[in-house]
Amino acid sequence: MSHIVPQPGILDIELYVSGKSTIDGVTDVVKLSSNENPLGPSEAAVEAHRRAGYELNRYPSSEHLSLRTAIADVHGLDVDRILMGAGSDEIIAFLCQAFAGPGDEVLYTEHGFSMYRVSALAAGATPVVAPECDRVTDVDALLAACTKNTKLVFIANPNNPTGTMIGGNEVARLAEGLPEQAILVLDGAYADYVEGFDGGASLVDMRDNVVMTRTFSKLYGLGGLRVGWGYGPKPIIDVLNRVRGPFNLTAPALAAAEAAIKDLPYVQKCRQENAKWRAWLAEALAEHGVPSDTSTANFILARFSDQQEAEACDDYLKSQGLIVRRVAGYGLPNCLRITVGDEASCRRVAHAVGQFKGGAR
Ligand SMILES: *Cc1c(COP(=O)(O)O)cnc(C)c1O
């Protein structure tokens, strides 16, 4: 028995399995497993990234002021209460590291995002799961699961992998009802897909116990660069800045994200294309006997009759070069999560699901 052992909780973390991107023996592969923007990033972002490549000898900004200012301008936020992370995953990690430890509880919902559990365990805290109601966040169940040890409550709104969301009144009721030592974290990874939705920023402004996280990985098409941000009350952001490494974002990533957020017409185009093909895909799947909840994000949670059918469909889609996401690990064994791709990909996946349902296996 070795004397070298990690901190308690670490070995309870299951190694993350990311969305596959290749299939052995298939060349024309479509990846619909990681909720990436099928249209890619803004041209302006690609150009800014390329230009930043000429100064790789220089350390990046540690304050991220230029990017934070751009974010504050676009969203109408207080620049001093924005914090940048290497993906919003890093903001989630900072929150757990700074506010939860051994004996503390980190609460999230039944089909909640996997990083909440990972970051809670990494901090030595105890993950606690509250049930959802028909794949929708249940505020009463969350409030009922709170204890004197609850330090963080995470909800993604819209949620991944369900695609559902709850209204502002419900979110406000949750924030109001939490025990006084707990922070509500609104994960807005998919908030950009909801026209006119602020992701909960106005609630952050009104309260001292709410933090919002956002990302450039989804609608902005920059998952490869790892840029996310958080917005919260000044005292909380000050704490998170103490655990943040000074150079946690690279210069090319900062430059690309700034150009991306300023390219408003492109953002709008991506949002509209997603909404259009999301509706088309949901309807096409329903016609083939595969229902889904109304999605507010850039993916659809396709429901099959049981785990066996979902897995058989996944195998069939793979044989057709289509990679979607199994979500048994999220407590949804009878479902497949399908990212809304471009028109050609949506048509291909709908066609293949139709063939599968029609008996081709
Ligand atoms: C994709 C995703 C994120 C984080 O993505 P980053 O690339 O780390 O910004 C956070 N929360 C949810 C629910 C997601 O689906």
Side-chain angles (χ1 to χ4, degrees):
M1 194 49 194
S2 170
H3 291 278
I4 300 175
V5 291
Q7 289 291 306
I10 304 290
L11 291 177
D12 295 328
I13 300 172
E14 299 81 13
L15 288 176
Y16 186 82
V17 181
S18 62
K20 290 192 172 58
S21 54
T22 56
I23 306 173
D24 289 345
V26 184
T27 45
D28 186 16
V29 169
V30 175
K31 185 185 177 199
L32 302 173
S33 55
S34 297
N35 298 342
E36 295 150 340
N37 183 341
L39 307 178
S42 148
E43 289 283 342
V46 174
E47 175 58 19
H49 184 266
R50 193 185 62 78
R51 260 183 281 119
Y54 293 110
E55 284 196 71
L56 294 182
N57 54 321
R58 304 291 174 201
Y59 269 89
S61 153
S62 66
E63 308 277 290
H64 313 141
L65 185 59
S66 189
L67 175 55
R68 287 194 291 116
T69 303
I71 292 170
D73 287 350
V74 166
H75 291 288
L77 306 176
D78 177 0
V79 65
D80 292 329
R81 293 190 285 126
I82 296 173
L83 169 93
M84 301 307 305
S88 51
D89 281 358
E90 194 182 33
I91 309 284
I92 294 167
F94 290 159
L95 283 159
C96 289
Q97 187 187 346
F99 290 100
D104 295 333
E105 294 170 358
V106 174
L107 178 62
Y108 49 88
T109 66
E110 190 179 354
H111 309 300
F113 186 48
S114 58
M115 292 311 294
Y116 310 150
R117 173 183 161 84
V118 170
S119 291
L121 287 169
T126 305
V128 178
V129 178
E132 295 185 15
C133 183
D134 291 335
R135 298 170 302 279
V136 179
T137 298
D138 181 340
V139 168
D140 290 312
L142 282 165
L143 290 174
C146 284
T147 72
K148 63 181 191 332
N149 299 321
T150 306
K151 292 294 174 64
L152 289 161
V153 179
F154 285 96
I155 66 166
N157 204 35
N159 197 12
N160 170 21
T162 60
T164 60
M165 69 183 293
I166 59 172
N169 290 344
E170 280 294 276
V171 178
R173 190 163 73 82
L174 177 57
E176 180 67 33
L178 291 187
E180 56 189 6
Q181 79 284 350
I183 299 172
L184 173 63
V185 183
L186 302 175
D187 180 336
Y190 301 96
D192 298 295
Y193 289 98
V194 184
E195 185 86 53
F197 178 48
D198 73 355
S202 58
L203 189 67
V204 173
D205 285 340
M206 286 181 324
R207 303 195 56 94
D208 61 9
N209 68 339
V210 181
V211 172
M212 171 180 76
T213 64
R214 303 287 287 258
T215 183
F216 282 87
S217 301
K218 307 286 160 59
L219 183 70
Y220 291 92
L222 293 175
L225 287 183
R226 317 303 306 127
V227 187
W229 52 283
Y231 184 62
K234 195 78 175 52
I236 294 178
I237 296 298
D238 283 347
V239 167
L240 300 182
N241 262 318
R242 289 167 200 267
V243 295
R244 177 178 73 80
F247 305 112
N248 59 329
L249 268 75
T250 68
L254 290 166
E258 185 175 337
I261 199 163
K262 288 176 171 171
D263 191 348
L264 298 176
Y266 186 71
V267 171
Q268 183 62 11
K269 177 189 155 184
C270 292
R271 186 184 291 122
Q272 285 171 350
E273 281 290 301
N274 175 73
K276 176 176 167 186
W277 290 104
R278 179 180 65 200
W280 183 91
L281 181 59
E283 199 180 310
L285 295 178
E287 278 169 12
H288 294 312
V290 178
S292 56
D293 300 312
T294 300
S295 171
T296 54
N298 68 335
F299 54 85
I300 282 172
L301 185 69
R303 283 206 308 281
F304 295 84
S305 39
D306 52 30
Q307 175 157 10
Q308 198 187 351
E309 191 191 28
E311 290 180 356
C313 185
D314 183 44
D315 289 340
Y316 180 71
L317 292 177
K318 261 198 198 74
S319 76
Q320 301 302 299
L322 293 155
I323 305 177
V324 302
R325 188 65 163 258
R326 288 190 190 194
V327 283
Y330 283 96
L332 296 159
N334 62 323
C335 298
L336 295 175
R337 192 192 68 191
I338 306 174
T339 302
V340 177
D342 58 10
E343 172 173 356
S345 309
C346 286
R347 290 190 185 278
R348 236 173 103 174
V349 77
H351 179 72
V353 169
Q355 282 186 321
F356 169 78
K357 283 297 238 181
R361 305 195 184 183

